[in-house]
């Protein structure tokens, strides 16, 4: 009887380990997809001033909230993209640009990415909310603040 119970417990334990590994692997796949979106659409779009590329990673109607130099900041994604379009890109400015992913958390079809973006004379901390829609990770909300160095 003890042998049967021990065998059943071990089989149950191994199932749990396999399920945890599957969840971790799935999360790693999703994190990699979000990392790709941030690096190849978000950072690249900001750096080059490419609003088509940058806009393709945002869900239509998204909002951008935060503060810059202590002042409240609020724009629709369309107004935000218009600002990117009408400013000199970091690439063309010749000033340093560095985008860094600090953290990505994924739960089912939602995720949050914490980023640091240094450009012009700013050091921004961005929090991007993602939602997986039709198999693609899209930014549904952006929050930002500038940090004193």
């Amino acid at each position: 009887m003890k042998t049967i119970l021990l065998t059943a417990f071990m089989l149950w334990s191994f199932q749990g380990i396999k399920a945890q590994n599957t969840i971790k692997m799935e999360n790693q796949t999703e994190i990699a997809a979000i990392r790709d979106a941030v690096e190849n659409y978000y950072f690249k779009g900001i750096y080059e001033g490419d609003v088509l590329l940058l806009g393709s990673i945002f869900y239509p109607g998204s909002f951008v909230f935060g503060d810059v130099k202590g002042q409240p900041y609020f724009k629709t994604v369309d107004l935000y993209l218009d600002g990117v379009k009408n400013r000199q890109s970091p690439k063309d400015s010749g000033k340093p640009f560095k985008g860094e992913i600090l953290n990505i958390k994924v739960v089912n079809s939602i995720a949050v990415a914490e980023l640091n973006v240094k450009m012009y004379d700013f050091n921004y901390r961005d929090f991007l909310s993602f939602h997986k829609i039709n198999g693609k990770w899209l930014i549904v909300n952006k929050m930002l603040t500038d940090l004193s160095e």
Side-chain angles (χ1 to χ4, degrees), residues 25 53 55 125:
M25 291 298 286
L53 184 66
R125 183 64 47 92

mmCIF file with all atom_site columns, all heavy atoms in Angstrom, residues 25 53 55 125:
data_model
loop_
_atom_site.group_PDB
_atom_site.id
_atom_site.type_symbol
_atom_site.label_atom_id
_atom_site.label_alt_id
_atom_site.label_comp_id
_atom_site.label_asym_id
_atom_site.label_entity_id
_atom_site.label_seq_id
_atom_site.pdbx_PDB_ins_code
_atom_site.Cartn_x
_atom_site.Cartn_y
_atom_site.Cartn_z
_atom_site.occupancy
_atom_site.B_iso_or_equiv
_atom_site.pdbx_formal_charge
_atom_site.auth_seq_id
_atom_site.auth_comp_id
_atom_site.auth_asym_id
_atom_site.auth_atom_id
_atom_site.pdbx_PDB_model_num
ATOM 1  N N   . MET A 1 25  ? 8.205  28.001 -20.155 1.00 0.00 ? 25  MET A N   1
ATOM 2  C CA  . MET A 1 25  ? 8.576  28.030 -21.575 1.00 0.00 ? 25  MET A CA  1
ATOM 3  C C   . MET A 1 25  ? 7.625  28.914 -22.364 1.00 0.00 ? 25  MET A C   1
ATOM 4  O O   . MET A 1 25  ? 8.050  29.686 -23.210 1.00 0.00 ? 25  MET A O   1
ATOM 5  C CB  . MET A 1 25  ? 8.594  26.611 -22.158 1.00 0.00 ? 25  MET A CB  1
ATOM 6  C CG  . MET A 1 25  ? 9.707  25.750 -21.616 1.00 0.00 ? 25  MET A CG  1
ATOM 7  S SD  . MET A 1 25  ? 11.339 26.420 -22.002 1.00 0.00 ? 25  MET A SD  1
ATOM 8  C CE  . MET A 1 25  ? 11.431 26.042 -23.723 1.00 0.00 ? 25  MET A CE  1
ATOM 9  N N   . LEU A 1 53  ? 6.308  52.786 -38.328 1.00 0.00 ? 53  LEU A N   1
ATOM 10 C CA  . LEU A 1 53  ? 6.832  51.656 -37.562 1.00 0.00 ? 53  LEU A CA  1
ATOM 11 C C   . LEU A 1 53  ? 6.377  51.747 -36.107 1.00 0.00 ? 53  LEU A C   1
ATOM 12 O O   . LEU A 1 53  ? 5.846  50.779 -35.555 1.00 0.00 ? 53  LEU A O   1
ATOM 13 C CB  . LEU A 1 53  ? 8.363  51.648 -37.635 1.00 0.00 ? 53  LEU A CB  1
ATOM 14 C CG  . LEU A 1 53  ? 9.072  50.479 -36.958 1.00 0.00 ? 53  LEU A CG  1
ATOM 15 C CD1 . LEU A 1 53  ? 8.746  49.172 -37.673 1.00 0.00 ? 53  LEU A CD1 1
ATOM 16 C CD2 . LEU A 1 53  ? 10.571 50.721 -36.947 1.00 0.00 ? 53  LEU A CD2 1
ATOM 17 N N   . GLY A 1 55  ? 3.885  53.495 -34.805 1.00 0.00 ? 55  GLY A N   1
ATOM 18 C CA  . GLY A 1 55  ? 2.429  53.406 -34.714 1.00 0.00 ? 55  GLY A CA  1
ATOM 19 C C   . GLY A 1 55  ? 1.905  51.991 -34.870 1.00 0.00 ? 55  GLY A C   1
ATOM 20 O O   . GLY A 1 55  ? 0.841  51.653 -34.336 1.00 0.00 ? 55  GLY A O   1
ATOM 21 N N   . ARG A 1 125 ? 11.502 56.953 -17.865 1.00 0.00 ? 125 ARG A N   1
ATOM 22 C CA  . ARG A 1 125 ? 11.099 55.629 -17.420 1.00 0.00 ? 125 ARG A CA  1
ATOM 23 C C   . ARG A 1 125 ? 9.726  55.409 -18.012 1.00 0.00 ? 125 ARG A C   1
ATOM 24 O O   . ARG A 1 125 ? 8.796  56.171 -17.769 1.00 0.00 ? 125 ARG A O   1
ATOM 25 C CB  . ARG A 1 125 ? 11.037 55.572 -15.891 1.00 0.00 ? 125 ARG A CB  1
ATOM 26 C CG  . ARG A 1 125 ? 10.693 54.204 -15.327 1.00 0.00 ? 125 ARG A CG  1
ATOM 27 C CD  . ARG A 1 125 ? 11.708 53.094 -15.609 1.00 0.00 ? 125 ARG A CD  1
ATOM 28 N NE  . ARG A 1 125 ? 13.084 53.437 -15.354 1.00 0.00 ? 125 ARG A NE  1
ATOM 29 C CZ  . ARG A 1 125 ? 13.745 53.243 -14.228 1.00 0.00 ? 125 ARG A CZ  1
ATOM 30 N NH1 . ARG A 1 125 ? 13.150 52.672 -13.209 1.00 0.00 ? 125 ARG A NH1 1
ATOM 31 N NH2 . ARG A 1 125 ? 14.999 53.593 -14.112 1.00 0.00 ? 125 ARG A NH2 1
#
